[in-house]
Amino acid sequence: GRRRVLCLHGWRTNTAVLKLQTAGLRKALAGECEFTFLEGPRTAPAASDATVAAIFEPPFFEWWREVVRDGSGIFYDFENGLRESVALLASHLARHGPFDVLLGFSQGGTLCALLHALKTRAAAFAAAEGEGADGAPDGVPPPSAFVRGLPALLARAPMWRAVACLCAVYPEGQALPAFAARAGTLDVPSLHLTGKEDEHAPSGARLAGCFDARRRRCLQHASGHTVPQTAAFTAEFARAFRKLLAECDE
């Protein structure tokens, strides 16, 4: 049968936006994959940017609130949405899974990585107060009570077999110290798409570094924070995605 791909949109967008962003890939893999989409649990107060607002109809959604501080990068207010999002995904996976691939764009891609960490490295997130996270470097604080409660939400969710992070970013901030504990520890076939002109590309590369290098595939395009729909790039993207699917069986 066809492979099943669960798709998670970016910050303050919606399924319609992600369907456009994945149009080329979905057409190329129409006979091989079934793509389904899920929207975040929080209605956003506005679209992510003026372009999205001009082209797409609201409502728009987010997986958690983002906070920008002093132009020094994106910091995350995880306690404003992440628990709801993990619970929503756990319920959806239990009802409609299993899925072969979790695919996410931007904030959705970060969520895919977080879900895999929560599902497979639960001990690191559940470290007791007063103890460092499992394998954490010196100076990394233990997980908060909020973070320690997250893995249990996913306990009954069926496991996926691969992760695709499109223009995703590393989850900066002290809220998830266990995520940064060790590089290369997320042991799953993964595909990481970044844009050469994307200001978030270095953060995306750092996120990719959290995945096992032996099973990690990275693909860069010449544009910004987007998924190009040119024939040439779509063909390259589809080839990389087929290789990801093949690795699901290894």
Side-chain angles (χ1 to χ4, degrees):
R2 292 191 299 167
R3 302 301 188 124
R4 305 187 68 223
V5 183
L6 179 61
C7 305
L8 310 180
H9 61 77
W11 179 70
R12 296 190 175 181
T13 65
N14 56 30
T15 285
V17 178
L18 187 54
K19 283 184 174 178
L20 182 63
Q21 291 167 325
T22 57
L25 180 70
R26 290 186 296 114
K27 184 176 180 181
L29 301 178
E32 303 161 58
C33 294
E34 171 195 352
F35 292 84
T36 61
F37 296 78
L38 183 66
E39 288 179 325
R42 297 171 60 88
T43 303
S48 59
D49 57 49
T51 302
V52 170
I55 298 173
F56 297 94
E57 290 291 324
F60 303 105
F61 303 92
E62 58 191 6
W63 300 101
W64 58 80
R65 198 165 71 95
E66 295 193 0
V67 182
V68 180
R69 295 179 187 161
D70 305 325
S72 58
I74 298 176
F75 291 80
Y76 299 110
D77 182 5
F78 285 113
E79 299 201 23
N80 225 320
L82 183 59
R83 178 176 292 278
E84 297 164 69
S85 293
V86 173
L88 176 68
L89 262 298
S91 174
H92 189 82
L93 289 164
R95 285 185 183 181
H96 305 289
F99 290 91
D100 294 288
V101 183
L102 295 185
L103 176 152
F105 178 83
S106 194
Q107 191 185 61
T110 302
L111 179 57
C112 290
L114 286 170
L115 288 168
H116 196 80
L118 290 166
K119 183 74 169 165
T120 62
R121 301 195 61 227
F125 287 88
E129 284 289 357
E131 299 176 10
D134 178 31
D138 291 340
V140 173
S144 65
F146 167 77
V147 171
R148 291 202 310 273
L150 292 175
L153 296 174
L154 282 168
R156 295 184 181 180
M159 194 62 194
W160 46 90
R161 302 164 80 182
V163 173
C165 300
L166 315 183
C167 300
V169 293
Y170 186 87
E172 297 284 359
Q174 294 301 310
L176 293 163
F179 191 82
R182 281 196 295 260
T185 54
L186 299 184
D187 184 13
V188 64
S190 64
L191 175 61
H192 304 270
L193 175 67
T194 56
K196 192 174 181 180
E197 299 299 320
D198 186 355
E199 63 179 319
H200 303 302
S203 184
R206 185 181 178 197
L207 181 76
C210 297
F211 288 79
D212 187 336
R214 297 166 299 176
R215 311 180 80 186
R216 179 176 70 221
R217 193 174 302 279
C218 297
L219 182 63
Q220 188 176 65
H221 60 74
S223 301
H225 197 67
T226 186
V227 182
Q229 297 299 306
T230 62
F233 178 75
T234 295
E236 186 180 5
F237 190 13
R239 278 195 300 272
F241 206 88
R242 285 190 180 102
K243 289 177 181 176
L244 180 71
L245 295 172
E247 289 171 13
C248 289
D249 298 324
E250 294 177 2

